[in-house]
Amino acid sequence: MRSGFSMMLSAEDDIEVIGDAADGSAAIEACRELRPDVVLMDVQMPGMDGIEATTRIVAEGLARVLILTTFDRDDYLFDALRAGAGGFLLKNSDPDDLVDGIRAVAHGHALLAPEVTRRVIEKMTASPADSGDAGLRDVAGEGIAGDGLAVDTPAASSPTLDALTAREREVLRHVARGLSNAEIAAELVVGEATVKSHVSACLSKLHLRDRVQAVVLAYEAGLVRPGD
């Protein structure tokens, strides 16, 4: 599996695979020695698992981590986010999505597989009583959503969202649905560069760090609802 990923990624002009490891402990040592930009991390491994390895790698500031797993499970997902992972993808993701995900995490952007984005956001924006797990609030505060993002964001007509143009709101709504820039461009029949510009404007005007913060805000503000 590692060899296959290595061959695929090495074919990209802007990606260099500089090492691999069979378990979490070896991954940490490799990071200390090689100082990669991004670690592509499995969850289940012999010895130290990927969640613990991610926790230590992030704590030491050794690299950004993209979790890649065959297991679409909430506990893995939230544990990975609490550990400080910059992204979470499933192994059945399209190869292009994996390559784009590595690039996104390398540039400091948060990334969630479309299959799990809505489930994560719904749990984050649910009340503790509804979710049955107040700890999910901690994920929103410390991990994906970032510092300073209140959970009681006003309704969609709030002055915060009023700072956006009608097209920026439309783009934000699609981002909250888990669509990529390319998918939003196809939906709105505009260029991908135009969508990227609108997303950047949304983040800047709303003082958000990344797309996942924007998704949380969109749900909390009522711009989108579960099931939209």
Side-chain angles (χ1 to χ4, degrees):
M1 180 69 75
R2 295 199 307 275
S3 296
F5 282 130
S6 180
M7 291 177 61
M8 181 186 73
L9 296 174
S10 295
E12 301 295 324
D13 293 337
D14 58 340
I15 296 177
E16 179 185 4
V17 179
I18 60 174
D20 66 87
D23 57 47
S25 297
I28 295 171
E29 292 306 315
C31 286
R32 288 171 178 162
E33 177 183 354
L34 300 172
R35 295 289 174 155
D37 297 308
V38 177
V39 175
L40 192 60
M41 181 74 76
D42 203 348
V43 174
Q44 286 195 344
M45 295 183 290
M48 183 186 297
D49 66 21
I51 303 300
E52 178 62 24
T54 296
T55 301
R56 299 191 187 189
I57 288 170
V58 173
E60 292 187 33
L62 300 176
R64 295 186 173 100
V65 178
L66 173 59
I67 297 287
L68 188 67
T69 180
T70 56
F71 302 99
D72 183 8
R73 284 176 40 179
D74 286 352
D75 55 344
Y76 286 154
L77 174 60
F78 288 113
D79 285 347
L81 297 173
R82 290 189 182 102
F88 188 101
L89 288 176
L90 303 180
K91 286 182 181 175
N92 62 2
S93 298
D94 186 88
D96 289 339
D97 291 336
L98 175 59
V99 172
D100 290 342
I102 290 173
R103 293 183 179 126
V105 172
H107 287 90
H109 302 305
L111 175 77
L112 290 178
E115 300 94 329
V116 297
T117 297
R118 181 169 295 163
R119 189 166 70 249
V120 172
I121 300 306
E122 288 176 5
K123 288 198 174 186
M124 283 182 178
T125 56
S127 68
D130 292 337
S131 69
D133 185 359
L136 297 182
R137 293 293 185 175
D138 296 333
V139 179
E142 299 171 6
I144 296 180
D147 297 332
L149 183 59
V151 298
D152 56 349
T153 308
S157 61
S158 68
T160 301
L161 293 186
D162 284 343
L164 304 181
T165 66
R167 178 46 64 95
E168 287 165 355
R169 280 194 182 212
E170 190 173 14
V171 168
L172 178 59
R173 185 178 293 108
H174 287 310
V175 168
R177 291 172 52 214
L179 273 62
S180 67
N181 286 353
E183 291 169 333
I184 296 172
E187 186 85 11
L188 300 180
V189 196
V190 298
E192 191 171 344
T194 299
V195 174
K196 184 176 180 180
S197 177
H198 286 316
V199 172
S200 296
C202 289
L203 298 181
S204 176
K205 290 181 179 181
L206 299 176
H207 307 291
L208 303 174
R209 186 184 61 228
D210 53 48
R211 291 172 74 96
V212 185
Q213 275 193 325
V215 174
V216 174
L217 179 60
Y219 271 82
E220 291 178 343
L223 188 62
V224 288
R225 297 292 185 187
D228 286 352

